[in-house]
Amino acid sequence: MPIVLTALVALFLTLSLHAREVPEYQEMRVARPDGRSVTVQDLTLRRDAYRLHFRSGAFHFLAPLGGHTWGAVFAGDGMWELRPSLERERRHLALVTNRSGVDVLSDTFDSVILLFSDRTAEEIAEAEAVVTGTPNARAVQLYEQHLNEQKRKYQINLHLRVLQELLNAPAARGDVFLAVIDGKDFAPKLLVSDDHGIGALAARFADLSGDETALLSFDDQNGGFWYLAPAAGRPSGAKSSAPRKALDAIHYTIDTTIESNSAIKGTTTIRLQALTPGVRVVPIHVLPKVRLQRATIAGDGGEPVELGLVQEEVELGRLARLFRDEVGDADAAVVLPAPLEVNEPAEITIEYEGRDVLQSWGPDSYSVRARESWYPNLGTFVDTATYELVYRYPRRNQLISTGVLERETEEEGKRVAVWKSSVPMRTAGFNYGRFHKLSRPDEQSGMHVDVYTGRDRRKFASDVMADAVNAARIAGAYFGESPYKTMSVTQQVEWNFGQSWPSLIYLPVLALTSSTERVLALEGAEPTAVAGINEFAKMVGWHEVAHQWWGHTVGWQSYRDVWISEGFAEFTSALVLQFTEGPKKHDDYWERRRREILQKPRGGGVVHNDAGPVSQSFRLQTRYSPGAAQTIIYSKGAYVVHMLRSLMREGSAKNPDHRFIAMMKDFLSSYSWKSPSTDDFRRVVEKHMTPQMDVTGEGTMGWFFDQWIDGTDIPRLKSTLAATPAGDGQYAVRGSVSQEAVSGSFVSIVPIYADFGRDMVISMGSVRLVGNTTMEIDVAVPMPRAPRRILLNAFHDVLARD
């Protein structure tokens, strides 16, 4: 069946510039099978790693849009299979399916919903003749069921994804193929092949990756991205690409009014520019309960031109109301009358209002529920922009925002505050309520710190201030000065959730409690749980302060690189622990992280580490590996940085960390306001590596990152070393060191120490172990006296099983 584009182009060019709704989108939403059908026998559609085989049955086409057939319902008998292109994805499929190995994942079906912008309709029509008649009742029923599931279960507006490719000018178009399949063995799945990358599927996926192929499961107990990989033919091979940006936000002007009932009204103007030609559909990231009312773009002479809006209504079911969550495919977008010129700034203004951005916890306490989607944006964390934020709110309360407070006045019974940031930010946020304030300029860190606590927690303000200042000083000394010269540390009402915004930090209530309060609150809890909560209460503030450097100043390229934010922040909190409480507490911290990484959680099928590598990131959180994602991203990610510090340490230098400090400062200065990949960080490490780190002799640290970021091997290290007097102040160190439980090419550089007691432990050098091996050692070493023992890996220099 031929695809007619000329009529569609003509239709788009005549689009009214004053229509709030988008006619083409409305046509798509009301479209149903229109009576055109193709009966097939043994038809196969291949899309990258997917093979869909339709043994027998019929395709029923949806009503076309401007002559373009963009969807079909299949009813009959068929099967689909996925052949993973990468070993890491085969391992992940084994994890999520709880199977020993998955070379091919397959399932059978009796119906499929297909949405597409590619040649799918033509391929089907080439198999057999298209027959026109009365719409098939079962096909209509299947499609109606799909629409209900799209709102209730999938919560992704698949129509909007296809609309982008149909409305964008030819230069911006790509092929997208979406297959929704409720199979016999597995819960509903969405099979995706998308030229523009998975980040284009919905605005909230913008920071996922540029990978073109995905399998998204909608299993209530085991959902998520089961498969996510580059297209098989992509030259970059196994490496994931950066998320693809069609638009770049330059500046946000956000005017927000908070009503007495906590509802908000706002206007956001986004100054932006197109990075690629032909873009007309602009996906908007915003909380679904924030309803877009009107959108305009500045036209010639400054007169606003009305834009089309796409945002489905939110539907609330009983469970949704219970958990205060929305159900619906409410992904939003603004539709332009014509494509923007590349690199030419333009301004889009969006008016909106909504509820549940703020949740009241009493007359003076509020929780900001929409963390980074309370205002319309092009994607947080993947982009940086400057901000001007105007807030209007009841004068009995206080509001602390990202940026710097420029002025505060009163108008019509409301307080009006203007906050600005000339330094780029990845997102904007605020805290709201009534607070006690403590301020302190700190010359050593170069930051001005404000602490805001609830009035019933004001006695903890000085402790919070000390923690914030210590963290800022140590981070500044090791990484360089933060570009954010002000930092507001604010209490928020939730018990155990902290978050960092640029220049603004949320501390959970737990961080402002005494040990006695925690003992009473945790009565009956297991000792390990109590210890974990106490550690969290102590260190969460340090972690969130560290995000001013790692996460906000330096971002991350895709989800596979998010450890650069969270792992670095966790490492920083351990660094603060070392300098505030001593090396013994610091070493104990790494022992806890080692045990955590190698722990099999209650209810889990595998130990955290065996769920997958650091580079699998949030996808490690599955039904069979609860807690694995956080443990591997945070704890193992931190351990990776700790191991690099250990490798670069020079005990004889005035500052043994001077190489490591130089490397981290280089990374910060090179990638401020950028979103580096793990490979970018590796290249900075290679600039500062020591000779012993050059394992391959080629000046690369690929061996280290392959093992610790993309691999799951953890060595078991053993030692029989002992020292005996050899005369003339010499001691013979004899015995063996062994490495086990690793692959043949796995390399460990393991330090050896002499323990003289009374916390006197001296480095004697290191050994390089490759694969599963045992190395015999017999050397004479000058020592001041007989050591108590010879230690291997004394300070958790290498993440090991023992």
Side-chain angles (χ1 to χ4, degrees):
M1 178 180 173
I3 308 300
V4 181
L5 292 178
T6 53
L8 184 66
V9 172
L11 175 64
F12 293 163
L13 291 179
T14 60
L15 176 67
S16 169
L17 301 187
H18 297 281
R20 181 183 179 277
E21 293 186 343
V22 180
E24 298 87 350
Y25 175 73
Q26 298 305 321
E27 285 188 48
M28 294 180 78
R29 292 296 290 204
V30 301
R32 299 293 186 272
D34 66 353
R36 294 173 300 142
S37 65
V38 176
T39 301
V40 296
Q41 197 84 15
D42 291 326
L43 172 66
T44 298
L45 297 179
R46 300 180 186 275
R47 296 294 184 272
D48 195 70
Y50 291 116
R51 174 178 172 268
L52 288 82
H53 183 63
F54 303 90
R55 298 189 185 102
S56 62
F59 288 92
H60 304 273
F61 292 121
L62 302 181
L65 177 64
H68 186 100
T69 297
W70 54 274
V73 178
F74 173 80
D77 175 49
M79 61 87 67
W80 65 268
E81 66 178 26
L82 165 65
R83 294 182 177 272
S85 61
L86 302 173
E87 177 58 32
R88 72 182 184 218
E89 293 301 323
R90 280 189 282 274
R91 292 197 306 265
H92 191 73
L93 284 174
L95 173 68
V96 295
T97 59
N98 197 28
R99 299 178 180 183
S100 58
V102 180
D103 291 325
V104 179
L105 186 70
S106 63
D107 199 0
T108 57
F109 56 76
D110 55 23
S111 65
V112 178
I113 305 297
L114 297 179
L115 305 177
F116 44 82
S117 68
D118 62 1
R119 295 188 69 256
T120 296
E122 291 173 319
E123 287 186 55
I124 294 170
E126 287 167 359
E128 295 290 341
V130 177
V131 176
T132 301
T134 303
N136 180 273
R138 180 163 185 255
V140 173
Q141 180 185 21
L142 287 169
Y143 192 67
E144 292 285 357
Q145 180 180 331
H146 159 73
L147 292 177
N148 290 332
E149 290 293 277
Q150 180 168 299
K151 279 188 173 292
R152 187 186 69 83
K153 183 179 288 287
Y154 313 149
Q155 297 184 40
I156 302 172
N157 191 333
L158 303 179
H159 296 88
L160 179 56
R161 176 66 198 99
V162 177
L163 181 74
Q164 291 180 55
E165 302 310 319
L166 300 184
L167 288 190
N168 285 344
R173 287 181 194 152
D175 288 341
V176 58
F177 175 87
L178 308 172
V180 181
I181 304 177
D182 191 354
K184 305 293 180 63
D185 295 334
F186 297 115
K189 299 286 184 288
L190 174 64
L191 284 59
V192 183
S193 177
D194 194 328
D195 281 355
H196 286 153
I198 303 308
L201 189 59
R204 64 183 182 275
F205 297 151
D207 65 342
L208 276 181
S209 71
D211 293 347
E212 295 91 348
T213 310
L215 175 64
L216 187 56
S217 169
F218 298 107
D219 189 318
D220 291 336
Q221 303 299 320
N222 196 24
F225 283 92
W226 279 22
Y227 183 79
L228 188 51
R234 180 139 59 81
S236 57
K239 294 294 184 182
S240 294
S241 66
R244 303 172 194 184
K245 290 172 52 180
L247 298 163
D248 176 40
I250 302 169
H251 180 78
Y252 287 89
T253 301
I254 304 172
D255 194 315
T256 303
T257 298
I258 299 174
E259 304 292 356
S260 57
N261 63 356
S262 301
I264 71 162
K265 293 183 178 180
T267 300
T268 291
T269 297
I270 310 173
R271 187 170 176 80
L272 73 165
Q273 61 184 8
L275 302 178
T276 58
V279 175
R280 284 190 56 211
V281 180
V282 180
I284 298 296
H285 188 196
V286 69
L287 181 76
K289 291 178 185 177
V290 174
R291 308 305 301 170
L292 307 187
Q293 304 295 321
R294 181 174 182 250
T296 60
I297 189 170
D300 293 339
E303 290 297 321
V305 176
E306 294 282 341
L307 302 180
L309 285 175
V310 173
Q311 187 184 36
E312 289 296 308
E313 292 296 328
V314 176
E315 295 182 2
L316 290 175
R318 182 178 62 84
L319 289 178
R321 287 194 297 269
L322 179 64
F323 293 103
R324 301 184 62 83
D325 197 8
E326 61 276 354
V327 176
D329 51 348
D331 296 320
V334 170
V335 180
L336 306 174
L340 297 173
E341 294 292 329
V342 174
N343 297 326
E344 288 293 327
E347 286 191 348
I348 292 176
T349 298
I350 304 173
E351 299 172 15
Y352 49 94
E353 58 184 38
R355 53 194 172 84
D356 289 349
V357 170
L358 288 171
Q359 179 183 352
S360 174
W361 289 63
D364 300 333
S365 298
Y366 298 84
S367 174
V368 182
R369 306 297 298 170
R371 301 295 186 182
E372 58 269 339
S373 57
W374 59 276
Y375 62 97
N377 62 77
L378 302 187
T380 55
F381 293 101
V382 297
D383 195 10
T384 60
T386 53
Y387 283 77
E388 178 175 352
L389 302 121
V390 180
Y391 301 94
R392 308 169 197 277
Y393 52 95
R395 59 186 178 184
R396 68 177 180 273
N397 292 324
Q398 296 164 272
L399 187 146
I400 307 99
S401 175
T402 51
V404 177
L405 180 62
E406 289 246 327
R407 64 183 180 274
E408 194 173 51
T409 59
E410 287 192 13
E411 295 177 10
E412 299 178 352
K414 286 186 179 290
R415 190 172 295 184
V416 180
V418 179
W419 295 71
K420 290 185 178 180
S421 175
S422 57
V423 176
M425 301 194 303
R426 298 177 188 273
T427 187
F430 65 93
N431 205 350
Y432 181 65
R434 299 186 70 182
F435 303 97
H436 166 74
K437 180 180 179 182
L438 178 65
S439 296
R440 174 179 171 181
D442 183 56
E443 292 183 5
Q444 185 171 330
S445 66
M447 299 186 78
H448 181 97
V449 181
D450 293 320
V451 171
Y452 296 85
T453 61
R455 296 178 182 236
D456 61 333
R457 295 284 155 183
R458 62 193 302 170
K459 64 182 179 181
F460 294 99
S462 58
D463 292 338
V464 171
M465 177 66 75
D467 282 344
V469 169
N470 284 336
R473 287 179 176 180
I474 291 168
Y478 269 75
F479 314 137
E481 284 193 8
S482 168
Y484 301 111
K485 300 307 179 185
T486 63
M487 181 167 59
S488 298
V489 184
T490 68
Q491 177 190 337
Q492 56 100 35
V493 298
E494 295 179 46
W495 175 251
N496 63 349
F497 180 81
Q499 183 174 346
S500 184
W501 310 74
S503 74
L504 172 66
I505 289 168
Y506 282 172
L507 279 188
V509 174
L510 193 58
L512 293 94
T513 55
S514 66
S515 57
T516 301
E517 287 177 298
R518 292 195 293 274
V519 167
L520 293 174
L522 299 169
E523 185 176 1
E526 294 184 1
T528 53
V530 174
I533 287 173
N534 285 333
E535 180 183 81
F536 174 81
K538 175 193 294 183
M539 302 184 72
V540 62
W542 300 338
H543 178 102
E544 302 304 343
V545 169
H547 276 311
Q548 300 302 301
W549 283 259
W550 312 118
H552 291 306
T553 302
V554 175
W556 62 91
Q557 180 173 277
S558 80
Y559 78 98
R560 295 189 184 278
D561 311 296
V562 75
W563 75 279
I564 291 175
S565 172
E566 299 296 353
F568 279 43
E570 197 72 359
F571 166 82
T572 306
S573 63
L575 199 62
V576 179
L577 180 68
Q578 176 186 345
F579 282 99
T580 58
E581 299 195 18
K584 177 63 169 62
K585 292 288 184 68
H586 181 248
D587 194 51
D588 290 346
Y589 172 87
W590 293 114
E591 172 61 15
R592 290 193 297 274
R593 298 291 77 75
R594 185 191 71 82
R595 292 184 181 184
E596 178 190 6
I597 292 164
L598 294 167
Q599 175 187 6
K600 183 177 180 179
R602 180 180 296 178
V606 296
V607 302
H608 290 314
N609 185 72
D610 293 346
V614 174
S615 58
Q616 288 295 90
S617 193
F618 74 89
R619 294 174 61 206
L620 297 177
Q621 188 75 14
T622 75
R623 177 182 182 180
Y624 305 105
S625 54
Q630 172 138 342
T631 295
I632 299 304
I633 295 169
Y634 287 66
S635 298
K636 192 175 182 182
Y639 223 122
V640 168
V641 187
H642 172 67
M643 287 190 288
L644 286 171
R645 182 191 180 196
S646 299
L647 282 170
M648 304 179 83
R649 190 172 179 82
E650 292 186 10
S652 60
K654 182 178 180 181
N655 183 347
D657 281 331
H658 74 96
R659 279 183 179 269
F660 177 77
I661 291 171
M663 177 191 74
M664 297 299 279
K665 288 185 174 181
D666 187 358
F667 187 49
L668 182 81
S669 63
S670 298
Y671 288 96
S672 291
W673 322 128
K674 298 178 183 178
S675 299
S677 67
T678 298
D679 280 347
D680 291 325
F681 178 56
R682 173 183 57 79
R683 283 186 281 270
V684 173
V685 175
E686 288 167 354
K687 290 169 58 179
H688 299 271
M689 62 194 292
T690 65
Q692 75 160 354
M693 294 165 68
D694 190 8
V695 167
T696 65
E698 299 174 346
T700 177
M701 286 293 289
W703 65 273
F704 179 88
F705 286 87
D706 288 346
Q707 291 176 182
W708 294 111
I709 300 299
D710 294 322
T712 58
D713 281 4
I714 293 180
R716 174 170 288 110
L717 302 174
K718 296 182 178 180
S719 170
T720 63
L721 295 177
T724 57
D728 297 327
Q730 300 280 317
Y731 288 81
V733 178
R734 297 188 179 96
S736 65
V737 294
S738 301
Q739 176 171 264
E740 301 172 359
V742 293
S743 61
S745 61
F746 191 95
V747 179
S748 293
I749 300 173
V750 187
I752 300 173
Y753 297 90
D755 179 9
F756 294 96
R758 295 186 178 180
D759 294 329
M760 183 179 176
V761 181
I762 298 176
S763 174
M764 298 172 56
S766 62
V767 293
R768 180 190 295 179
L769 303 174
V770 182
N772 298 299
T773 187
T774 297
M775 178 183 293
E776 298 294 333
I777 294 177
D778 186 350
V779 296
V781 181
M783 297 188 194
R785 63 178 185 271
R788 293 173 54 190
R789 54 184 178 164
I790 303 299
L791 299 175
L792 201 68
N793 202 30
F795 298 109
H796 294 85
D797 310 84
V798 178
L799 175 57
R801 293 186 177 274
D802 299 307

